[in-house]
Amino acid sequence: MKKNINTFFKTLMLFGGLATALFACCKVEDEIGIREREGDATEEQVQVARRLAGHWTLDPATAPTDDMRELELNFTTNDDHKGGLISSKGLEEEIFGPVWLFDQETEEQIYVGGQVGYMDIIDVTPTNLEVKFAHGQTYDLSFIKDDSENEDGDNGEEKPELLEVFVTPDGAGEQTGESWENAVAGNKANGLNDAIELLSKEGRKMHIGGGTYDVEQHFELKIGGTSADDMLEIIGDENNMPVFVGGWDADNQPQSATFLKVMVSQNFWKISNIKIKNYRFGIDLNGRHVGGRLNNIEIDMMDSGILMRGNATTANPEVGTHDLIVENCHFTHYTKRGIRINGGNYNVTIKDCTADQGGKAFWRTGNWGSSFHVADGNADGIYDHDITYINVKAGNNYHEHDVYSNADSFVSERNAYNLKYVGCYAYANTDGGWDDKSQNPLLIDCISAHNKRNYRFWSEGREVNGEVMGAEIYNSVSLAPKHVESGVKGSIVGAGSFGSDKTMVTFFKSTFYHSDQFEILSHMGTITLNDCIIASDNSEKLHTNEGNSGVVVWDTTIKFNPNGSDGHQTDADPKFNNPSEDWTGGNSAFDSQQYPDKGYSSSRTGQDIQF
C-alpha cells in the first residue's frame, strides 16, 4: 500500500535543487546491490554528494505511523567525495547495506554509498523520496533539511582547526576546545559531533573530561588515522571516566539512540576510558575498518554493547573489518548481546573483557542474552574467522521457555572458523557455557562452570595442513553443570556433541567434575576423550546419547563415579588437591595426585598450540 505524504527535499530547492533525478536502491546481502564502484568520483558525483550532505528529519506532522516520527536521514561525504546515508531512529530493526544513486536519464550509477536501516530507498527526485519498509508498505515521505548550517557545513563563523580538542560536560573559559581551561561543552545535543569537527585534517586526539553527560548523543565518527603510528584517539579521563547516559531502559526497550557509530571504512582509531549507560547500542562499528582499538570501556543497560559489522562482500571478503582489538571492556545488563560479530570480520582479538547479563533478575520475557556471539555464517563467502578470546569471563545469561531454555556465554554459528579461546571462563547460564557451531574451535586452559550444558559443540571440521580438525579442547575443566533456576528446561551435561554424524569433538587432558545429571552427551557425531579425568559422586550417568546415534571414545580416560547407575566406577579416586564447585581457576585445586599426567593441571599450559 502506498501513502502520499507531501513532498521530499522541499527545502533543498532553496539551495538550487538537484540537477538530475536520482534513483536509489538498497539491497541487503545482494551481490549486485553491494558491488563497489571502481575509479575516482566524477565532478558530477562530487556535486551530488555535497548537495545531499546534511541532516534531514521527517516532518512529524507527516509521519505515517507514530513510531516513525523521529526518522532521520544523514547524508555524509568523506575525502574521496563518496557519501554515506545513515538512518537510525524510528526503526524496529537495523539492517544495513550500501546505497546506490542512479541518474534516471543516463542510467549511470552514482555511488553515494553508506548504509540505510530496515528500508529500501526506491526513488529520489527533487520532489519525492519513495521508501519501501520491510513490513511491505511504501510511503512518499517529506523530509526537512537542517539549514542551520550553510553549504560549506558551518554557520558562517570560522572554527578553529585543532590538533587536539578538549571536552567537558559544561565546557570552560572561552569554549574553544584548545585546552582544559577552554574546553568545549559536550553535554548538549550533538556535543561530541560538534567537538570532533574542531579537529584539523592533521588533528588526531579528542580528550573527554570526567562527569555525567546526560543529554543523549548520536556520536558519529567520520574520520580516522592513517596508520598504526598515526591513530585518531578519543580518550576519556582514566581516573574520572566520563559517563554517557541515554534514554533506553530494559522494561520498555525503545528504539532509541546508538551512542557511537564508527562510519564505514574509517580506520586506525582508538577509543578508551568511557562509560556508556542506557543506550540501545553502545558502539556500532559499521564495517570495513582496519586497525581499530577499543580499550577500557564499560557499557551497562543496553540491548547490545558492541555491534561489530564486517560489511564484507562475496566478491571482496577481504574488505571486512580486520586487525581489531577489544581490550579491558566490560558489559553488564544487556538484553541480547555483549558483543555481536557478523558480516565477515577477521583477525579480531577480544582480551581481558567481561560480560554479565545479570541473571534472572534482569531477564525480560521475549529476550535471551548471549555474552559474545559470532552471528551469521551463512552468506556465501562472507564468514567471520580468526577471532581470538584471551582471559575473557562471561555468564549469568538467563532465559525461560516451556520446552528449552537458551542463553549462553560464547556462541558461534556455522561457517565461522579459526575461533580460539585461551584462559576463558563461562559460568551460570541457563544453556551453554560454550554453544559453538563454528568449523574448528580451539579451547585452551578454559573453565565452564554451573551452566546447564558446560560445553556444546556442533563442529563438522575444517581441513588444516591436510588434516580435518573439529572442535579441540586442551587442559580445560567442566565444573558442576546444573540448572541455575528451577524453571530451566533441558538435560544437564558437562560436554556434548550435537548436530550431525559428522560432528567431531576431542578433549585432551581435561577434567569433568560433579554434573547433576550426565558428564558426557554424545547426541550426534563423535566425542573423544584423550587422557581426561571424569569424576563425580552425584552424576546419574557418566555418559548418555539420549537414544541417538552419537558415540563416545574413552581413549585412556579415567572414569570415577561411585554413586552412578551405569557401572563406570572402573578406576581409582583421582584425589584432586582441593576440589570445590566454587573454584574459578588460578590454583592447583583440580590437579590430580593419583593421575598427574591426566586431566587438567595448573602446571600445564597449552598456549603454545597453534591452528
Side-chain angles (χ1 to χ4, degrees), residues 342 374-380 382-384 413-416:
N342 73 303
V374 181
D376 57 6
N378 298 317
D380 185 26
I382 305 177
Y383 309 138
D384 298 281
E413 306 301 340
R414 290 179 174 87
N415 295 322

Side-chain angles (χ1 to χ4, degrees), residues 292-366:
R293 302 289 185 266
L294 298 171
N295 183 62
N296 196 28
I297 295 172
E298 299 178 13
I299 308 179
D300 180 54
M301 294 291 292
M302 69 286 197
D303 174 300
S304 299
I306 297 175
L307 302 180
M308 195 181 296
R309 309 177 194 272
N311 209 353
T313 69
T314 301
N316 296 293
E318 70 279 358
V319 303
T321 294
H322 57 280
D323 298 332
L324 178 70
I325 298 176
V326 181
E327 188 169 7
N328 193 30
C329 293
H330 308 283
F331 311 92
T332 49
H333 301 123
Y334 45 88
T335 56
K336 293 184 180 177
R337 303 291 182 265
I339 296 181
R340 185 178 189 270
I341 302 170
N342 73 303
N345 300 271
Y346 62 98
N347 292 347
V348 174
T349 298
I350 300 171
K351 182 178 180 182
D352 296 328
C353 295
T354 64
D356 190 305
Q357 188 189 24
K360 185 174 183 178
F362 190 71
W363 179 68
R364 301 295 186 273
T365 302

Side-chain angles (χ1 to χ4, degrees), residues 151 162 195 205 241 423 437 457 484 501-502 523-524 567 576:
E151 285 185 308
L162 307 175
K205 288 186 179 181
M241 288 168 60
K437 298 181 179 70
F457 294 104
V484 295
D501 290 337
K502 297 179 181 179
H523 189 272
M524 299 288 286
F576 298 121

Side-chain angles (χ1 to χ4, degrees), residues 167-474:
V167 183
T168 60
D170 300 321
E174 297 180 1
Q175 297 199 22
T176 60
E178 296 173 283
S179 63
W180 288 122
E181 292 75 20
N182 293 292
V184 67
N187 192 30
K188 62 178 184 178
N190 293 313
L192 296 184
N193 287 325
D194 292 344
I196 203 165
E197 287 182 2
L198 299 176
L199 286 175
S200 68
K201 187 175 182 179
E202 293 76 25
R204 291 292 183 267
K205 288 186 179 181
M206 183 165 82
H207 302 272
I208 305 177
T212 300
Y213 298 72
D214 54 10
V215 176
E216 194 168 81
Q217 300 294 308
H218 304 255
F219 188 20
E220 295 182 350
L221 188 59
K222 305 173 186 177
I223 58 176
T226 61
S227 70
D229 296 322
D230 182 36
M231 300 187 77
L232 174 76
E233 296 186 63
I234 299 173
I235 311 165
D237 185 342
E238 184 176 7
N239 298 316
N240 182 22
M241 288 168 60
V243 182
F244 294 92
V245 182
W248 186 91
D249 69 85
D251 291 325
N252 298 313
Q253 300 185 25
Q255 308 304 302
S256 59
T258 297
F259 169 68
L260 168 63
K261 290 184 178 181
V262 181
M263 311 308 279
V264 174
S265 298
Q266 300 307 326
N267 303 322
F268 301 111
W269 39 262
K270 181 178 181 180
I271 302 163
S272 57
N273 307 332
I274 60 173
K275 296 182 180 182
I276 305 166
K277 298 184 65 173
N278 297 101
Y279 280 84
R280 184 186 180 197
F281 304 124
I283 298 174
D284 188 346
L285 306 179
N286 284 183
R288 304 189 183 186
H289 309 301
V290 181
R293 302 289 185 266
L294 298 171
N295 183 62
N296 196 28
I297 295 172
E298 299 178 13
I299 308 179
D300 180 54
M301 294 291 292
M302 69 286 197
D303 174 300
S304 299
I306 297 175
L307 302 180
M308 195 181 296
R309 309 177 194 272
N311 209 353
T313 69
T314 301
N316 296 293
E318 70 279 358
V319 303
T321 294
H322 57 280
D323 298 332
L324 178 70
I325 298 176
V326 181
E327 188 169 7
N328 193 30
C329 293
H330 308 283
F331 311 92
T332 49
H333 301 123
Y334 45 88
T335 56
K336 293 184 180 177
R337 303 291 182 265
I339 296 181
R340 185 178 189 270
I341 302 170
N342 73 303
N345 300 271
Y346 62 98
N347 292 347
V348 174
T349 298
I350 300 171
K351 182 178 180 182
D352 296 328
C353 295
T354 64
D356 190 305
Q357 188 189 24
K360 185 174 183 178
F362 190 71
W363 179 68
R364 301 295 186 273
T365 302
N367 296 144
W368 79 71
S370 295
S371 302
F372 300 95
H373 186 188
V374 181
D376 57 6
N378 298 317
D380 185 26
I382 305 177
Y383 309 138
D384 298 281
H385 61 92
D386 292 278
I387 298 169
T388 300
Y389 299 85
I390 302 173
N391 298 332
V392 174
K393 296 181 179 181
N396 241 355
N397 297 288
Y398 188 87
H399 175 239
E400 288 184 10
H401 192 272
D402 291 340
V403 178
Y404 190 88
S405 301
N406 277 290
D408 317 277
S409 287
F410 300 99
V411 184
S412 66
E413 306 301 340
R414 290 179 174 87
N415 295 322
Y417 62 92
N418 288 3
L419 272 58
K420 184 176 180 180
Y421 308 83
V422 179
C424 295
Y425 178 66
Y427 61 93
N429 297 294
T430 51
D431 195 15
W434 273 261
D435 191 346
D436 196 309
K437 298 181 179 70
S438 68
Q439 296 179 28
N440 60 329
L442 174 63
L443 281 68
I444 301 168
D445 304 334
C446 292
I447 301 170
S448 191
H450 307 160
N451 308 285
K452 179 178 66 188
R453 295 179 172 181
N454 278 342
Y455 298 98
R456 302 187 71 197
F457 294 104
W458 313 62
S459 308
E460 295 186 0
R462 179 178 180 83
E463 185 172 327
V464 180
N465 298 324
E467 181 182 358
V468 177
M469 301 175 64
E472 296 194 353
I473 304 92
Y474 292 81

